[in-house]
Structures are given as structure tokens and as C-alpha cells.
Amino acid sequence: MNKSVSRSGRLTVVLAVLALVLLVASSVGIAHSYFTTYTTADGGHTVFAKSQIEIHEGVKNLSKSIQLENTGRHECWARVLVVYPEGYKVTKSSGTDWSEAADGSGYWYYNKILPAGATTPVALTVEIEVPDTVSDEDLQKQFNVVVIEECVPVLYNEDGTPKPADWSLKFEDELITRRG
């Protein structure tokens, strides 16, 4: 038996091994891409952005006007929630600068970015209708309309356009964190 392999036989074996190595190498790249595409990472950047909102309320008869002032150092998105006793009817008006939440949550959103140091130029007006069953004396004793104001920082896309308000964010001291 002749154990020698012809030159063409060796070339065939070398080419077959080379083809197998190339096939395996190309598959590793795909697998590596798969694992790097679906990985998670921890960490982040601290963002300092002290922002605060002060509320300015005016009451005349059974009408309350609400304006918000950004007393912080950065621009923000702002909203309010008006809370009132059951059984009363409240009508809100505001022009075009304010809009009521479509989800029925009761929030009213200021539709523009509120710059640092600025006050909403148009007030949100709340008109209260008292039920006939409530006397003037009872109205003076127990009636209260509470306004809760909130703000979140304005974040920007890479092209410089503002992103929609992200109400899961909140200001804590000078850090922006996620609520919840």
C-alpha cells in the first residue's frame, strides 16, 4: 500500500480545511453581533438641573386663576392637577396655551416650554359651580380647591429639537431621576 498522497490530494485537503475555517470564522462574527446587540449595560451620567415651579393663584368669587413661575435654573415642561370636592362642577378655560389631558387624568398641560425665570403668560382659569344643596355657610367652612403643580426638564434630540415631556422624570435636589 502506498501511503503517499498525491500533490492534488493534499491541495484538496488544504482547501477543504481552509473553507471550513472561513465558514467557522464568519459564523463567529454573526454570533458575536447577536450577543452584543442584545446586551444590557449599567451606569449613566449625572445631570444637574435644579428646577422648581411656584404657583400663583388668584381667587375672585368662585373663579381661580392659576399661573406657574419657573424659579429654577433650567427650562421645563409644566402641568397642574386641580382637585376639588365631590359634587361640585368645575369648568376650566385657558385659551390655546393649556390643554387638558386626553386620558381623563385631570391634568392640564402648559403647551409651551417654560423658560427659567418665566411665568406662564396665560392663566388657567377654574370656574366653580356650587350645587344648590350647599349653603353659603357650608361653602365658607368646607370648600377648598387644591392645585398641584409639577415640572420636568426639557430634554433635546441631537438635532436640537425638544423631546416631548417625559413625566417619568423628576427633579431631586439637582439630579434628574426616574419616578417610581
Side-chain angles (χ1 to χ4, degrees), residues 155-169:
L155 303 176
Y156 289 90
N157 295 309
E158 289 182 16
D159 65 359
T161 58
K163 292 182 179 182
D166 182 353
W167 292 101
S168 68
L169 298 176

Side-chain angles (χ1 to χ4, degrees), residues 67-89:
Q67 286 185 285
L68 300 178
E69 179 184 2
N70 182 353
T71 59
R73 298 183 300 182
H74 302 278
E75 54 195 8
C76 66
W77 296 107
R79 69 180 179 178
V80 297
L81 178 64
V82 179
V83 182
Y84 50 90
E86 287 184 37
Y88 290 80
K89 184 177 180 188

Side-chain angles (χ1 to χ4, degrees), residues 132-145:
D132 294 336
T133 58
V134 177
S135 69
D136 287 342
E137 184 179 320
D138 287 341
L139 184 63
Q140 295 298 324
K141 287 182 188 175
Q142 66 181 353
F143 187 75
N144 194 12
V145 174

